[in-house]
Amino acid sequence: MGTPSYRLVVDVGGTFTDLLLFREDTGDTWRAKVPSMPEDQSLAVLAGKDQILKNIPDGGNVVLHVVNHGTTVATNAILEQKGAKVALVVTEGYKDILQTRRSQVPGGLASWIVWPKPEPLAPLELTVEAPGRLASNGDVVREFDKDLFLGRLRPIVDQKPDAVTISLINSFANPLHEQAARQAVEEVFPDIPVSISSEVLPELMEYERTITTVVNSYVEPTVRLYLENLLKALEGKTKHLRILRSDGGLSSVRLACRYPVSWVMSGPAGGVTGAVSLVANRTQYKNLMTLDMGGTSTDVALIENGIPHIRRETTIGDLVVKASSIDVRTVGSGGGSIARVPEVTKALRVGPESAGSVPGPACYGKGGTLATVSDANAVLGYLPANLLGGAFPLDLDSAAKAVQQVAHELGVSLYEAAEGILKLSNETMYGALRLVSVEQGYDPRDFSLVAFGGAGPLHANSLGKLIGAWPVIVPPSPGVLCAFGDATTLLRHESARAFTRILGQTNVGEVMSAFTALLAEVKKVMRDDQGVAEDKQRHTFQADLRYGGQANNVPVDVDLDALKANGLAHLHRIFDAEHVRLFTYSLAVDVEIVNLRVIAEEPRTDLPVKELKQAESPDPPSTLAISTTTLVFAGKEHEGCPVWDRSGLLAGHVLHGPCLISEMDSNTLIHPGYKTQIDALGNILIGEAGNMEPAGTPDPSGTLDTVTVDIFENALRNARNEMDALMTRTTMSPAIREQQDEFNVIAEPSGKMLVGQFGSFIGDFLEMWKGSIEAGDVFMTNDPYSVAGAVSHHNDWLILTPIFVDEKLIAWTSNFGHMTDVGGSVPGSLPCAANSVFEEGIQIPVTKIAAKGVWNHDLMEVIYRNVRLPEWNRGDVRALVAACDIAGRRMTELYTRFGDSVYFAAIDELLQRNRKAIASIISSMPEEPASFEDWIDDDGQGVGPWKIACTMTKKGEKLHFDFSKTDPQSPSSINFYLSVAMFKMFVGIYMLVVHDTNVVANDGFHDLLDVTIPEGTLLHPIRPAALSCRTHFLGRLFDVLSGLLGQRAPEFMTAAGFSDSPHFMYSGYRQNGDWFQLYWIGFGGIPARPIGDGPDGHCLWPAMKAIPNEFLELYYPLRIERFDTVPDSGGAGLHRGGNAQRIHWRFLEPGTISIHDDRWLSKPWGVLGGEPGARSRKTLVRDAGAERVALGSKQDGIEVREGDVLEWITWGGGGWGEPRKRDPQVVALEVRRRLVSREGAERGYGVFLKDGCVDLARTEERRRGMEREREGLGEVVNRGGSWEELKDSALKETGLQAPRAPREVRWRGPVTRTPWFEGWRGGDGDEVKAE
């Protein structure tokens, strides 16, 4: 008999480090759990190794065969912001790529008011611009200039960066310039690591590639030092050290040090691979969902046929990194998740905030006082009095006290509060499980649920009931299952490359050649860096595909033999099938290959697992019950429930609930009416005992409690999120798929919105529709005049679907998205000079496009015939309908789950809850009226400014908003038909989000708001007034809303800068005769806010983000030569306004452009002493700069030639508070970051620098002067001058003539017959006065 071979597995968590020792020939295991040591994780690893080896003979002298290590060292470096000081090399003109983050503000409408601006991982002061430029096909446009680059690089030497990232535009197509830059960097910094994006992530999309490579650099020095020290400490103690990757594979230390971004999510991957090894590979259950619940969060994943699903991105904190990982979805629901009751909504909220390990839950007895999920479990008896085998006593009195506070705030009993906390926590996890199953096209009932982690087994039975996944499986040692997964996973590596080809424009030979090159590359890495011989490797081939026009990829496995035999039709066929599974439909359009990938693994060698002895009887002996306890379910105490010792249970034992099964690292709860059986491997298999109603059976009592309402609210949120996700992943129009210009609504039968963004328009539809409404009907419109402004121009196509159950209407689902084109006089269908809606494209009144599930294809073809990009519109309509269908399914599931009475009672309560919350806010507001006005500078026809004015008056419990002093409708297309329901929703969301960021806004409060908008005004135009440029007043409305609410509630007092969404269109024919048409939305400086600075170059519209420039350059004949922000363009203040966005477009083909913009004459105002932001500017540069033409803010049909450049600068956000009060050191830092110029620091903030440091004496002297200058100035709003002053200086400061006043217009049409217009025309002409 030879010397035993041992495998040690180490999984480092935030609180504990778990170790598992395997004897490879017998399957014997030993485990240990030691405290983690965040200051140096290797200390815990070594301490645990020494402790566990004491269990085996002569353990101190054993040389381990291998140590497999899952660690959070990389993750923690990011989350705790303790990574390297990273210098970033970017393409010239792209210095702010991390500062602007694709311009997205997460969250819903008004979330920008409370969203904290994150700091980039690579600071701006260490960002260097590299000269040279590549085209999207990899051609060199401008050569890399090494000498110039070195001159820019050397000044950062004194700042001593720890690592360098190089990420250049279009390097996915050609690594040449990145390689040259690396050589130059290594001359200046010979001893620090350099990561280049063409090696870390050779794929399209510049921000994602840059942030991924920066993360690689950020953690590399930390993890390299850690692994090298650990390897040194293990020298002579093990033959191999391997690191668990995020995708569930293993990596050698050498590769792990080079590409640490590949294992930043190492921790969650271990549990999933453990479930594969211990359950999928050894039992009959191959399709699994995993639930890994810890102290702060829960991770869920899906395993199909024994293989975990992989996704191509990883989320860490607020960063999304493009690195392969097991498709683990994380939600903020763990044992330490805090329960709270916001004062305004009085709704129970659980998580994502966590008590952490210090002070931890109240039951830990470490000083925690806030109720958590663990405290709720303790109150209900679900936790034994002592944890960790008796070593950790719980403070049950403190748990009860904490939960009682929640009970008091809700007005319920202690047990009701505790059960409510658990129900909400479970509902959050249920939503996550649906993300990995239902949203991916899988029925969860076809899967079993595997629960592990310290807290997972406590919630396993509850989640099984919710999701319907049986049996629920709790593996042995669930608290260390991650470690078991680390032991059984395989060495892996993947190689990928961008391969952007339409199937019809490539051939099998080209695809096979690319796969062959990737195969050779991955074989070499596995052989040389992982030690796996080529003949021992297994290879998988993948392609990322999408329909031409989409932007999100769908990965599919490729059978090379089938590809060779059937050609590219094989790829088309498997992609269509996958698209149908994921999104319910396919399209008859070209399929595009985006990336190719080859994955290599070593052969699988399963470790033996010792089986349990077979029990002689299914009933375990009573001696295995450690004790008895009282468990509470549905408010009822169940006394004398056994607490079973899991270590003594045998295969075949059957336990009946209610009971607890306890072990050292976890506790499993079995509910009444359920039973569990122990299998041969020691798994706990939970199922129904036979006397329980199936999951989803309605409660016959029809009772409603506050927790049910909160669960219902969460379900509505999840349904809406599913709609958004489908639209983002499948639509063609860039405005929808990237900039997410789509807004959905789920409403109750009478049309009141239950969840959504823009308020319900279904009530208006129901008032005008006289035909039948039946199951399977689909309605569509894009006509604002048909639905009282619910859609505001023809590009927004609105889909409505009624949802029936057994012929009863239970809900409406609806969605609208902005189509790139709907016909009309100009490409893009947004003519600036339109005088009527007849110039703005096809008008679709409310029309039934499908009746009882049967589509009117002839009608749809007539519609598509009238647009310039019919295939895009066709695809987008399919996506809109699919999203509504998905939401309809979710509402049907809710109706079935809760039953008719509870379903409608919950809807009523949610509507009432929002009403009460808004009423509470209104009650705290003063009685005095508040008025505010703002203006659109012009209408593109030389007329302006155009005023929007509103007076807000509190009348009893209601607010009245009166727009009577707004200007008349314009003869041009800037009119905005403001839906009253939409405006009420805007007001409600603004009011609610500041007080309860998790609230789901609905229409319940609408009767508390009265709105007066006279017919004939800009906000209530009369048909056929043109509407295509309504975006300017839509944006300005939010500036007015901030001005109104801010006067009455300081938490809403923001500066201006919402302004509008700049639109840019470029179209024409390429030399080869193909038509191109671009629609693009730009962003600017977000206003400064009470919580801090406004982000630079961001968008205030919810979830919108910039289209990747590499995408634009690949698919359109243009090059974006500059994409950064403008120093000093944000208004100075205690909190600085966000800086403007600067974009330089170089046109590579002749064509025409259209521009929609504003704030070229007026300035985004500052508040409370803050300065206004800078104006927008547009300049067309011809003949290599010889001719510079200032462009107006709203122009169509501008001819551009090849080589022309459009220089577009958007607006800056206004400042908040007095600039002299801003910390001088912050100002100095922003000078170094090129966000504020040296002159701007002196002029705007009174901050003087000397040798880069603050000159305190001169600064203090200047700031005293600034204080004297402000004495006696009491204005709240600073607009930067009166309209008279702005007009007088217009030509000099902007290069454009000032507009003439609206009163000089010759008015014609229906508006002149309205009584309101007669009153306006007879006014005193002071409509444009400004402070």
Side-chain angles (χ1 to χ4, degrees):
M1 184 174 179
T3 303
S5 179
Y6 293 94
R7 180 179 303 195
L8 178 65
V9 185
V10 185
D11 185 77
V12 179
T15 306
F16 293 103
T17 293
D18 296 310
L19 298 99
L20 206 57
L21 182 67
F22 282 85
R23 178 166 165 169
E24 295 184 330
D25 57 339
T26 65
D28 287 324
T29 62
W30 298 265
R31 55 179 167 160
K33 184 182 285 281
V34 298
S36 295
M37 300 183 185
E39 66 280 1
D40 185 350
Q41 291 189 7
S42 65
L43 297 177
V45 174
L46 297 173
K49 173 188 72 70
D50 292 341
Q51 177 179 321
I52 206 167
L53 287 177
K54 293 177 181 177
N55 293 298
I56 59 176
D58 198 25
N61 296 317
V62 165
V63 176
L64 299 165
H65 173 231
V66 65
V67 174
N68 290 350
H69 185 17
T71 173
T72 58
V73 64
T75 314
N76 292 347
I78 298 169
L79 296 177
E80 298 169 9
Q81 299 183 8
K82 294 180 179 179
K85 182 192 291 186
V86 179
L88 174 62
V89 177
V90 297
T91 297
E92 201 168 49
Y94 281 78
K95 67 177 176 63
D96 294 312
I97 189 168
L98 295 187
Q99 185 79 0
T100 55
R101 296 164 47 101
R102 286 191 69 188
S103 301
Q104 185 181 34
V105 173
L109 193 66
S111 60
W112 63 273
I113 299 175
V114 295
W115 179 62
K117 182 176 73 171
E119 285 291 320
L121 285 186
L124 268 172
E125 64 269 28
L126 285 177
T127 300
V128 179
E129 298 180 62
R133 189 62 153 83
L134 297 172
S136 59
N137 64 357
D139 290 348
V140 175
V141 177
R142 289 192 307 275
E143 295 289 347
F144 176 75
D145 188 329
K146 180 180 178 180
D147 292 337
L148 180 57
F149 176 61
L150 288 173
R152 295 174 177 176
L153 185 66
R154 289 192 178 101
I156 70 169
V157 170
D158 291 341
Q159 298 187 55
K160 299 180 179 178
D162 302 313
V164 177
T165 285
I166 302 171
S167 183
L168 305 181
I169 293 296
N170 293 325
S171 61
F172 72 92
N174 185 350
L176 179 67
H177 283 185
E178 287 195 350
Q179 292 168 351
R182 175 167 58 187
Q183 291 176 354
V185 167
E186 289 173 344
E187 291 180 17
V188 178
F189 299 103
D191 299 320
I192 68 173
V194 180
S195 297
I196 67 173
S197 73
S198 53
E199 292 180 352
V200 173
L201 184 70
E203 296 180 8
L204 184 78
M205 298 173 68
E206 68 277 4
Y207 170 74
E208 286 77 2
R209 193 172 63 253
T210 300
I211 189 61
T212 299
T213 312
V214 167
V215 167
N216 198 73
S217 293
Y218 187 75
V219 301
E220 183 174 352
T222 301
V223 301
R224 183 181 294 275
L225 179 63
Y226 169 73
L227 292 179
E228 288 176 350
N229 287 344
L230 181 59
L231 198 59
K232 186 176 180 180
L234 291 173
E235 189 172 354
K237 300 294 183 181
T238 184
K239 297 177 181 178
H240 306 284
L241 173 63
R242 296 170 176 174
I243 308 303
L244 183 67
R245 294 160 45 104
S246 303
D247 61 5
L250 288 171
S251 173
S252 66
V253 170
R254 181 177 175 182
L255 277 183
C257 289
R258 193 187 311 165
Y259 300 116
V261 73
S262 68
W263 50 279
V264 291
M265 293 298 283
S266 169
V272 181
T273 55
V276 169
S277 179
L278 199 58
V279 180
N281 290 347
R282 302 173 191 270
T283 73
Q284 68 193 73
Y285 306 110
K286 307 300 181 185
N287 293 335
L288 308 171
M289 287 184 290
T290 64
L291 178 85
D292 180 2
M293 185 177 182
T296 59
S297 62
T298 295
D299 299 320
V300 303
L302 185 136
I303 298 165
E304 183 182 15
N305 293 324
I307 301 173
H309 277 205
I310 302 294
R311 66 190 309 206
R312 299 299 160 191
E313 64 182 32
T314 299
T315 300
I316 313 156
D318 63 353
L319 296 176
V320 178
V321 175
K322 295 278 284 186
S324 294
S325 66
I326 291 177
D327 187 6
V328 172
R329 307 297 175 96
T330 301
V331 290
S333 183
S337 294
I338 295 171
R340 66 197 187 286
V341 182
E343 180 63 30
V344 170
T345 55
K346 290 296 183 181
L348 178 61
R349 307 294 186 204
V350 179
E353 298 82 6
S354 174
S357 56
V358 178
C363 63
Y364 281 12
K366 295 182 179 180
T369 59
L370 300 176
T372 67
V373 171
S374 290
D375 295 313
N377 276 312
V379 164
L380 297 170
Y382 302 166
L383 286 173
N386 297 280
L387 300 180
L388 298 180
F392 193 99
L394 294 183
D395 186 344
L396 300 181
D397 290 339
S398 292
K401 183 178 179 181
V403 176
Q404 183 59 53
Q405 179 60 36
V406 172
H408 174 74
E409 293 171 355
L410 288 174
V412 300
S413 70
L414 175 66
Y415 287 162
E416 286 176 313
E419 291 195 274
I421 292 169
L422 297 189
K423 285 180 180 178
L424 272 186
S425 175
N426 291 337
E427 192 70 22
T428 299
M429 292 183 279
Y430 173 53
L433 288 167
R434 291 178 66 89
L435 283 178
V436 297
S437 57
V438 177
E439 189 179 299
Q440 304 300 320
Y442 296 99
D443 186 337
R445 293 170 297 183
D446 296 333
F447 291 75
S448 298
L449 179 65
V450 181
F452 51 94
L458 271 181
H459 295 253
N461 202 155
S462 293
L463 268 300
K465 291 161 66 176
L466 284 173
I467 200 77
W470 301 109
V472 174
I473 303 170
V474 181
S477 304
V480 294
L481 185 66
C482 289
F484 189 90
D486 297 351
T488 55
T489 192
L490 309 172
L491 285 168
R492 177 184 295 169
H493 187 71
E494 68 177 49
S495 291
R497 58 164 288 193
F499 186 91
T500 309
R501 309 279 199 284
I502 294 292
L503 287 185
Q505 298 174 2
T506 186
N507 55 64
V508 172
E510 194 176 12
V511 175
M512 289 299 301
S513 177
F515 272 134
T516 300
L518 289 170
L519 180 61
E521 181 181 314
V522 78
K523 282 182 175 181
K524 183 177 186 300
V525 173
M526 286 290 285
R527 182 190 66 227
D528 297 347
D529 294 331
Q530 304 268 55
V532 181
E534 291 189 15
D535 62 348
K536 299 294 186 181
Q537 300 174 22
R538 298 183 308 164
H539 302 103
T540 303
F541 301 86
Q542 290 184 341
D544 293 342
L545 304 172
R546 63 190 179 201
Y547 288 122
Q550 291 180 332
N552 285 273
N553 311 326
V554 174
V556 296
D557 288 339
V558 179
D559 182 330
L560 291 193
D561 291 335
L563 179 61
K564 292 174 186 176
N566 302 310
L568 297 179
H570 172 67
L571 293 182
H572 203 308
R573 187 163 51 251
I574 60 176
F575 171 71
D576 279 345
E578 184 68 0
H579 201 277
V580 169
R581 189 185 65 77
L582 288 171
F583 309 119
T584 73
Y585 69 94
S586 61
L587 296 172
V589 299
D590 290 333
V591 171
E592 182 180 34
I593 305 174
V594 183
N595 302 303
L596 299 176
R597 185 178 302 105
V598 178
I599 303 165
E601 284 186 334
E602 66 177 328
R604 178 175 300 281
T605 53
D606 288 328
L607 290 173
V609 174
K610 298 192 74 171
E611 296 190 354
L612 298 181
K613 293 180 180 179
Q614 183 65 37
E616 296 179 358
S617 165
D619 299 320
S622 59
T623 54
L624 291 182
I626 305 169
S627 62
T628 60
T629 189
T630 298
L631 302 175
V632 180
F633 294 92
K636 179 182 177 181
E637 293 183 344
H638 296 255
E639 298 179 350
C641 299
V643 180
W644 297 101
D645 178 6
R646 184 172 186 177
S647 65
L649 296 174
L650 302 178
H653 273 152
V654 176
L655 311 174
H656 292 269
C659 67
L660 272 177
I661 303 172
S662 187
E663 55 192 306
M664 191 269 287
D665 56 358
S666 192
N667 296 277
T668 301
L669 176 68
I670 311 301
H671 288 221
Y674 288 81
K675 67 179 181 179
T676 184
Q677 183 171 344
I678 310 302
D679 73 3
L681 297 175
N683 292 307
I684 296 173
L685 307 180
I686 304 172
E688 296 175 347
N691 59 344
M692 291 290 293
E693 292 178 334
T697 301
D699 178 3
S701 68
T703 57
L704 183 72
D705 55 54
T706 183
V707 175
T708 300
V709 177
D710 295 329
I711 291 171
F712 201 95
E713 183 183 51
N714 274 347
L716 289 171
R717 181 188 293 110
N718 291 338
R720 183 192 168 192
N721 289 342
E722 277 193 68
M723 297 178 77
D724 285 334
L726 185 143
M727 294 297 294
T728 300
R729 296 183 64 186
T730 62
T731 47
M732 303 290 192
S733 294
I736 302 176
R737 69 172 187 237
E738 296 286 351
Q739 301 185 310
Q740 298 182 13
D741 190 355
E742 56 87 18
F743 300 96
N744 48 50
V745 165
I746 300 174
E748 49 80 63
S750 71
K752 291 180 181 177
M753 188 186 83
L754 301 177
V755 62
Q757 190 78 15
F758 267 31
S760 180
F761 29 75
I762 297 170
D764 296 319
F765 156 72
L766 291 173
E767 285 185 12
M768 60 77 57
W769 181 255
K770 305 306 179 185
S772 63
I773 298 174
E774 299 173 274
D777 288 352
V778 179
F779 300 87
M780 185 168 80
T781 184
N782 74 338
D783 179 14
Y785 292 107
S786 291
V787 284
V791 293
S792 50
H793 59 184
H794 293 167
N795 290 74
D796 290 340
W797 286 17
L798 170 65
I799 296 292
L800 303 95
T801 62
I803 308 304
F804 287 84
V805 174
D806 296 331
E807 300 184 353
K808 180 172 184 176
L809 180 65
I810 65 161
W812 286 89
T813 62
S814 181
N815 209 359
F816 75 76
H818 183 110
M819 303 292 153
T820 295
D821 191 275
V822 296
S825 60
V826 300
S829 315
L830 301 172
C832 297
N835 299 124
S836 74
V837 291
F838 303 111
E839 302 165 66
E840 298 175 338
I842 187 170
Q843 300 175 56
I844 310 169
V846 178
T847 303
K848 188 182 288 190
I849 60 173
K852 299 182 181 180
V854 178
W855 276 75
N856 189 336
H857 292 288
D858 292 340
L859 172 62
M860 295 307 299
E861 288 308 310
V862 170
I863 293 172
Y864 296 141
R865 186 74 171 177
N866 282 273
V867 306
R868 293 178 178 87
L869 299 169
E871 293 307 323
W872 283 22
N873 295 59
R874 196 187 310 274
D876 291 346
V877 168
R878 290 297 302 271
L880 287 166
V881 173
C884 289
D885 285 347
I886 281 179
R889 293 180 203 170
R890 303 301 167 256
M891 297 307 291
T892 301
E893 290 166 5
L894 277 176
Y895 182 85
T896 303
R897 175 180 171 188
F898 290 105
D900 183 89
S901 59
V902 172
Y903 174 89
F904 285 107
I907 287 173
D908 290 341
E909 179 57 31
L910 281 173
L911 293 169
Q912 280 299 309
R913 177 184 287 178
N914 268 17
R915 189 184 189 281
K916 292 173 185 176
I918 294 295
S920 172
I921 296 170
I922 292 173
S923 69
S924 66
M925 299 174 70
E927 297 285 344
E928 297 81 10
S931 297
F932 203 82
E933 336 179 289
D934 212 337
W935 291 263
I936 293 296
D937 293 347
D938 74 315
D939 60 0
Q941 310 305 307
V943 179
W946 296 86
K947 181 176 67 174
I948 177 174
C950 187
T951 297
M952 179 179 71
T953 307
K954 180 180 174 182
K955 296 180 179 179
E957 67 170 356
K958 295 186 176 183
L959 285 181
H960 180 239
F961 295 86
D962 187 354
F963 289 92
S964 295
K965 293 185 178 181
T966 296
D967 278 346
Q969 68 184 56
S970 167
S972 76
S973 58
I974 61 169
N975 303 296
F976 171 39
Y977 192 160
L978 176 59
S979 161
V980 170
M982 182 189 299
F983 178 71
K984 289 180 177 182
M985 180 52 53
F986 292 165
V987 174
I989 290 178
Y990 261 60
M991 287 182 165
L992 290 170
V993 75
V994 172
H995 298 282
D996 183 357
T997 56
N998 292 318
V999 71
V1000 173
N1002 60 47
D1003 285 357
F1005 60 85
H1006 280 203
D1007 68 301
L1008 297 176
L1009 305 181
D1010 291 327
V1011 183
T1012 299
I1013 309 175
E1015 187 179 38
T1017 62
L1018 286 159
L1019 301 180
H1020 191 171
I1022 302 171
R1023 192 174 188 274
L1027 304 167
S1028 53
C1029 289
R1030 98 298 185 236
T1031 182
H1032 311 294
F1033 272 118
L1034 174 58
R1036 193 68 80 254
L1037 184 69
F1038 283 92
D1039 281 341
V1040 170
L1041 193 55
S1042 293
L1044 281 173
L1045 296 177
Q1047 295 178 55
R1048 294 294 169 259
E1051 59 267 28
F1052 301 110
M1053 177 56 81
T1054 69
F1058 204 108
S1059 299
D1060 59 36
S1061 303
H1063 289 7
F1064 169 67
M1065 277 74 76
Y1066 171 43
S1067 59
Y1069 286 98
R1070 299 177 186 266
Q1071 288 184 359
N1072 64 5
D1074 290 342
W1075 174 257
F1076 65 87
Q1077 184 175 331
L1078 170 65
Y1079 167 65
W1080 174 91
I1081 301 175
F1083 312 119
I1086 286 185
R1089 312 155 290 166
I1091 70 160
D1093 296 349
D1096 306 299
H1098 272 64
C1099 178
L1100 292 88
W1101 292 109
M1104 279 193 177
K1105 55 187 174 184
I1107 303 172
N1109 290 339
E1110 290 180 341
F1111 183 95
L1112 294 173
E1113 292 191 10
L1114 183 65
Y1115 292 100
Y1116 297 96
L1118 53 80
R1119 190 159 53 246
I1120 301 169
E1121 299 188 335
R1122 188 158 199 163
F1123 194 84
D1124 59 4
T1125 64
V1126 182
D1128 300 331
S1129 55
L1134 171 63
H1135 302 317
R1136 176 177 64 79
N1139 279 337
Q1141 191 179 53
R1142 171 168 47 197
I1143 314 101
H1144 287 187
W1145 306 84
R1146 182 176 294 277
F1147 305 110
L1148 305 182
E1149 296 268 17
T1152 60
I1153 63 173
S1154 295
I1155 289 173
H1156 290 217
D1157 194 17
D1158 204 64
R1159 292 291 194 200
W1160 66 272
L1161 180 55
S1162 63
K1163 302 175 182 179
W1165 31 269
V1167 294
L1168 303 176
E1171 295 294 321
R1175 297 166 166 136
S1176 66
R1177 300 195 302 274
K1178 284 77 58 185
T1179 306
L1180 185 60
V1181 182
R1182 300 184 186 276
D1183 300 326
E1187 182 184 1
R1188 296 180 63 85
V1189 181
L1191 299 179
S1193 66
K1194 303 165 187 71
Q1195 288 187 241
D1196 290 324
I1198 304 168
E1199 297 288 338
V1200 294
R1201 303 188 292 264
E1202 181 182 352
D1204 287 353
V1205 175
L1206 174 64
E1207 298 179 355
W1208 190 327
I1209 295 175
T1210 62
W1211 69 92
W1216 189 99
E1218 295 185 44
R1220 66 182 177 86
K1221 296 180 180 180
R1222 189 171 176 86
D1223 185 344
Q1225 300 301 332
V1226 172
V1227 177
L1229 177 61
E1230 294 202 322
V1231 171
R1232 294 194 293 274
R1233 291 180 169 177
R1234 293 161 286 175
L1235 297 171
V1236 175
S1237 70
R1238 190 183 183 101
E1239 297 75 17
E1242 296 174 1
R1243 180 181 62 253
Y1245 298 94
V1247 173
F1248 290 82
L1249 304 180
K1250 184 177 182 180
D1251 299 326
C1253 299
V1254 177
D1255 186 331
L1256 292 176
R1258 291 187 67 193
T1259 296
E1260 290 173 1
E1261 179 183 0
R1262 176 65 190 116
R1263 288 189 159 190
R1264 285 193 294 269
M1266 294 172 71
E1267 183 177 13
R1268 290 192 296 269
E1269 293 165 7
R1270 277 202 56 82
E1271 289 179 358
L1273 296 178
E1275 85 262 7
V1276 175
V1277 176
N1278 179 0
R1279 299 183 188 269
S1282 68
W1283 270 110
E1284 291 76 11
E1285 292 169 332
L1286 295 174
K1287 284 187 171 185
D1288 289 344
S1289 62
L1291 185 60
K1292 178 181 178 182
E1293 295 182 3
T1294 71
L1296 299 171
Q1297 293 285 349
R1300 70 185 195 277
R1303 285 186 178 274
E1304 300 176 22
V1305 172
R1306 295 186 62 188
W1307 298 93
R1308 293 288 187 273
V1311 66
T1312 61
R1313 297 196 297 265
T1314 63
W1316 174 87
F1317 180 80
E1318 290 296 328
W1320 176 85
R1321 186 158 54 182
D1324 59 10
D1326 65 350
E1327 73 283 356
V1328 293
K1329 287 183 178 179
E1331 295 82 8

